[in-house]
Amino acid sequence: SFHPCTATAPLARSGNLHVLEPLYESNPTSYEVFPALADGFPRFQDDGPCTIRIRDDARFSTGAAVTAADVVESYERFATLNPMLAQHLDFIADMQAADDQTISITLARPFTFVEERLQMVKVFPAGQSYEEANASPVGSGPWRYASFENKKLIFLPNDSYNGPHTVLDNEMDWSIIPDDVNRVRTQNDGWTMAMQDVPGDSAVQLNNAGMDVDITQGFDAPFFAFRTDAGPF
């Protein structure tokens, strides 16, 4: 699934980062938050809603303008399709389109991480069906999906993109080798440009073949979840 609301596989999530935009993004190294689809940070009013404007002339790769209604429906679909992650947006009591370019958010309580949490909601056209978004989502990011082949993604630039990133090439091809044995063999034979997720017992082999293999701390987070609306908790 490549659906913007439910994609969890690394390939789909990585591809969607290039194709779809949330209102805000963050630098993956410094974690500094910056406006993506938004034209600035939220504007807070005393005892009133906060408002966010979409950047001028933001467009999907189809050429259609991105509207506040697209943002609101993307949020609503995310809340419906991904209730586990939507819990992190429970500070939102209501979200409405104030006009074509302005989103109005009523907060359920005072909250200081509005833009950080809104990164979770990738914006896609309100009219795109679940099946279409699941197979090939449309976004307003710097790239667009051109084709899906067996273990291969092809991206082309979104000619309508006017956001903060720069497209540095005229095509991007991702050929994926999910099998560990084949990944190690093709990397060792020099057929691939880079290898992610090297099996631990192959690191020395590739290093001895003249490649730089970085070993870093992983990010798997084990946890327990307790249902607290029923016994015994």
Side-chain angles (χ1 to χ4, degrees):
S1 169
F2 281 77
H3 198 288
C5 298
T6 58
T8 57
L11 176 62
R13 289 180 61 83
S14 299
N16 284 353
L17 283 173
H18 293 75
V19 171
L20 296 129
E21 290 184 293
L23 290 168
Y24 300 97
E25 294 177 337
S26 60
N27 183 297
T29 302
S30 68
Y31 305 112
E32 179 182 2
V33 178
F34 59 90
L37 187 55
D39 76 344
F41 290 101
R43 299 159 178 85
F44 291 90
Q45 305 171 24
D46 292 337
D47 298 323
C50 75
T51 57
I52 301 171
R53 283 185 60 79
I54 298 171
R55 70 168 181 265
D56 290 341
D57 204 32
R59 295 185 177 276
F60 293 114
S61 58
T62 58
V66 182
T67 68
D70 294 311
V71 177
V72 172
E73 182 161 324
S74 295
Y75 158 74
E76 292 174 345
R77 294 169 85 173
F78 181 85
T80 300
L81 294 171
N82 203 332
M84 178 176 286
L85 289 182
Q87 297 177 80
H88 297 291
L89 299 173
D90 65 354
F91 62 90
I92 298 176
D94 187 50
M95 181 186 292
Q96 299 290 334
D99 57 42
D100 283 348
Q101 208 171 348
T102 307
I103 301 103
S104 175
I105 300 175
T106 302
L107 299 182
R109 61 183 185 277
F111 195 74
T112 58
F113 297 103
V114 173
E115 52 267 40
E116 284 86 350
R117 295 289 177 86
L118 285 175
Q119 296 180 71
M120 300 169 64
V121 181
K122 304 293 190 294
V123 178
F124 58 109
Q128 191 172 34
S129 70
Y130 177 87
E131 291 74 19
E132 292 168 338
N134 197 53
S136 181
V138 170
S140 58
W143 294 89
R144 62 180 176 88
Y145 287 119
S147 70
F148 291 75
E149 301 176 14
N150 185 29
K151 300 174 186 174
K152 184 181 179 73
L153 294 180
I154 298 179
F155 303 78
L156 293 175
N158 173 8
D159 294 331
S160 300
Y161 178 72
N162 66 347
H165 299 296
T166 302
V167 176
L168 300 177
D169 213 329
N170 56 12
E171 186 172 312
M172 184 165 59
D173 296 358
W174 293 4
S175 296
I176 311 301
I177 305 173
D179 178 71
D180 281 352
V181 174
N182 288 334
R183 271 209 329 283
V184 172
R185 185 181 69 249
T186 52
Q187 179 71 24
N188 198 47
D189 292 344
W191 286 96
T192 52
M193 297 175 65
M195 182 177 177
Q196 179 182 329
D197 200 15
V198 177
D201 56 3
S202 302
V204 173
Q205 172 190 345
L206 295 177
N207 202 37
N208 290 339
M211 298 166 206
D212 294 326
V213 181
D214 293 329
I215 299 176
T216 61
Q217 180 66 43
F219 196 64
D220 287 339
F223 67 93
F224 288 100
F226 295 95
R227 177 177 174 179
T228 57
D229 61 356
F233 299 106

